[in-house]
């Protein structure tokens, strides 16, 4: 049983998992490192050994930091944190001296209880770029694709939210986690007074022993409050030629990136659907058997990043289009967050449905995959729907 489970106090008749995960969620405070996945819940709130920036690849630097922690006498060290979209930029990774663990939030019955209510601030909201400017960028990208310059690009936009009072990051985390306890919820420090917070639906890659799992998502449609319309949208997504093509490109890229590391792989021929509170996504679960047990989950994640689901294809050209079109630095958005241990096991998640919080300011991010069949108004509406995950957690609306 984990330290968090031993520390929790339960009635004699309680299920062993009752309260274990939610106690870690409740214990989170800014500056701590919180990560909840479908496999486990992690909280580190004490001293941590940072993974230094340097010229070596990030997975090699992480391996060295874990070895140093073990040599210093730390039992079963684990790295946890965030890597930016630009993998050459400094990451926010560390090896905490103590790490409390618990089963996943979805297994804890107490996660069904509502979070404490609080009054929402009078948010000031500024889109960057403005929706019409974003739509124009989509139209320009589509024109360039018809001219044969590239096949896909994932264009993002942001919302800058300003509060008259200091941000209540723990309250935001509570609402995100309780809204979708089966997802990947995180709150991680990325600098003095800065927190990366979000709830991502997309597993980039996990490794447990020799079993490798990736779950690319590409092709999306907003959900509806009307049940019949919601079902109609889900069914239409499964038959959308544009979205199926977009999804197939991503799945093929994931397959090609993982194949050199695996002795065998399974790739379903057609996607299924996965849902969040605000979106339907086309989803494919790719599995494989690792050929070399020395290859870590983070090494696999670095081989995959960035997938066409967050950048585009060809990758180099898509990066160039992003630099020309997006009027902001993505930072940690569309990078990855996760954990890994010295044995190579770990889980790394695509950093979407997220925001960066600092003092009284939140910067939200959302992107859409643009292909030759994309329509500017529809892609702008898709990003607005994706913003709703976080807007609902802070009591704001477009």
């Amino acid at each position: 049983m984990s330290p968090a489970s031993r520390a929790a106090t339960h009635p004699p008749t309680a299920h062993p998992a009752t309260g274990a995960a939610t106690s870690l969620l409740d214990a989170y405070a800014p500056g701590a490192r919180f990560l909840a996945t479908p496999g486990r819940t992690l909280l580190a709130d004490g001293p941590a050994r940072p993974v230094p920036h340097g010229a070596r690849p990030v997975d090699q630097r992480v391996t060295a930091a874990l070895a140093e922690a073990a040599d210093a006498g730390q039992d079963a060290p684990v790295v946890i944190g965030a890597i930016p979209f630009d993998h050459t930029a400094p990451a926010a990774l560390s090896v905490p001296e103590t790490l409390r663990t618990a089963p996943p939030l979805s297994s804890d019955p107490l996660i069904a209880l509502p979070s404490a209510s609080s009054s929402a601030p009078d948010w000031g909201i500024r889109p960057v770029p403005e929706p019409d400017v974003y739509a124009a960028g989509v139209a320009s990208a589509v024109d360039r694709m018809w001219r044969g310059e590239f096949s896909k690009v994932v264009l993002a936009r942001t919302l800058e939210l300003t509060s008259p009072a200091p941000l209540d990051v723990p309250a935001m985390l509570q609402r995100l986690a309780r809204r979708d306890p089966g997802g990947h919820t995180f709150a991680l420090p990325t600098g003095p007074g800065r927190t990366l917070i979000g709830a991502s639906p997309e597993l980039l890659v996990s490794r447990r022993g020799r079993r490798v799992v990736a779950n690319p998502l590409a092709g999306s449609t907003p959900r509806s409050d009307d049940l019949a319309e919601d079902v109609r949208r889900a069914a239409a997504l499964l038959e959308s030629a544009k979205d199926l093509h977009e999804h197939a490109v991503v799945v093929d890229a994931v397959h090609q990136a993982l194949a050199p590391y695996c002795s065998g792989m399974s790739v379903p021929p057609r996607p299924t659907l996965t849902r969040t509170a605000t979106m339907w996504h086309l989803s494919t679960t790719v599995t494989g058997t690792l050929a070399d047990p020395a290859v870590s989950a983070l090494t696999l994640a670095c081989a995959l990043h960035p997938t066409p689901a967050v950048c585009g294809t060809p990758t180099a050209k898509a990066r160039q289009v992003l630099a020309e079109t997006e009027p902001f630095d993505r930072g940690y958005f569309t990078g990855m967050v996760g954990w890994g241990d010295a044995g190579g096991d770990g889980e790394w998640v695509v950093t979407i449905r997220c925001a960066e919080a600092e003092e009284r300011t939140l910067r939200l991010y959302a992107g859409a995959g643009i292909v030759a069949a994309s329509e500017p108004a529809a892609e702008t509406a898709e990003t607005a729907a994706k913003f709703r995950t976080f807007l609902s957690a802070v009591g704001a609306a477009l």
Side-chain angles (χ1 to χ4, degrees):
M1 185 178 292
S2 69
S5 300
R6 289 197 297 267
T9 300
H10 308 298
T13 57
H15 186 278
T18 302
T22 51
S23 68
L24 298 189
L25 178 62
D26 294 342
Y28 168 79
R33 294 160 178 82
F34 179 89
L35 176 63
T37 77
R40 70 205 66 225
T41 305
L42 308 173
L43 177 68
D45 55 3
R49 179 191 302 269
V51 176
H53 185 56
R56 288 187 298 167
V58 65
D59 56 332
Q60 295 181 19
R61 287 182 278 122
V62 164
T63 297
L66 290 168
E68 290 171 6
D71 290 343
Q74 188 169 337
D75 183 36
V78 169
V79 69
I80 184 171
I83 297 172
F85 174 68
D86 178 359
H87 67 276
T88 65
L93 297 167
S94 62
V95 181
E97 291 184 9
T98 58
L99 180 68
R100 289 185 282 171
T101 66
L105 286 172
S106 59
S107 71
D108 189 338
L110 297 185
I111 197 64
L113 298 176
S115 56
S117 60
S118 59
S119 58
D122 185 14
W123 292 103
I125 302 179
R126 184 172 76 94
V128 180
E130 293 286 346
D132 58 342
V133 175
Y134 176 80
V138 172
S140 173
V142 169
D143 287 344
R144 294 173 68 177
M145 278 184 268
W146 280 109
R147 293 199 298 267
E149 292 187 39
F150 51 94
S151 301
K152 176 184 176 180
V153 67
V154 181
L155 293 181
R157 64 188 183 104
T158 74
L159 294 178
E160 294 181 356
L161 274 61
T162 304
S163 169
L167 301 179
D168 189 346
V169 175
M172 295 177 199
L173 181 65
Q174 285 277 348
R175 288 192 286 268
L176 285 169
R178 293 179 187 275
R179 186 178 174 91
D180 185 15
H184 309 84
T185 307
F186 50 90
L188 301 163
T190 55
R194 295 198 304 273
T195 301
L196 177 68
I197 179 172
S200 173
E202 185 169 3
L203 172 69
L204 181 62
V205 69
S206 68
R207 198 210 89 166
R208 184 173 183 180
R210 291 201 171 189
R211 177 174 168 78
V212 176
V213 179
N215 183 207
L217 307 181
S220 308
T221 193
R223 299 194 61 190
S224 172
D225 293 332
D226 178 81
L227 178 59
E229 174 62 14
D230 195 45
V231 171
R232 188 199 68 77
R233 291 182 184 184
L237 181 61
L238 275 174
E239 300 300 325
S240 166
K242 174 255 185 188
D243 290 288
L244 288 169
H245 170 70
E246 179 184 344
H247 187 81
V249 169
V250 177
V251 172
D252 182 64
V254 168
H255 184 192
Q256 296 300 321
L258 290 179
Y261 298 94
C262 294
S263 58
M265 294 189 69
S266 174
V267 183
R270 283 186 62 86
T272 58
L273 287 173
T274 190
R275 65 185 179 185
T276 67
T278 58
M279 300 294 296
W280 285 106
H281 298 281
L282 293 178
S283 167
T284 295
T285 300
V286 177
T287 58
T289 301
L290 198 63
D292 181 357
V295 176
S296 71
L298 182 53
T299 297
L300 297 172
C302 292
L304 286 166
H305 177 73
T307 72
V310 299
C311 182
T313 185
T315 302
K317 183 64 178 181
R319 280 187 179 274
Q320 178 186 334
V321 176
L322 295 180
E324 294 168 354
T325 310
E326 293 178 349
F328 55 85
D329 182 350
R330 286 192 175 191
Y332 291 92
F333 172 63
T334 60
M336 46 187 163
V337 299
W339 69 273
D341 65 20
D345 285 352
E347 298 171 280
W348 295 93
V349 178
V350 182
T351 313
I352 52 178
R353 309 299 189 275
C354 66
E356 290 186 283
E358 185 173 11
E359 297 181 355
R360 303 185 182 203
T361 301
L362 277 174
R363 169 167 274 190
L364 281 59
Y365 300 85
I370 313 303
V371 294
S374 293
E375 298 179 358
E379 304 300 347
T380 305
E382 179 178 318
T383 55
K386 290 174 177 177
F387 279 132
R388 290 209 306 268
T389 296
F390 212 97
L391 290 172
S392 65
V394 300
L398 285 176

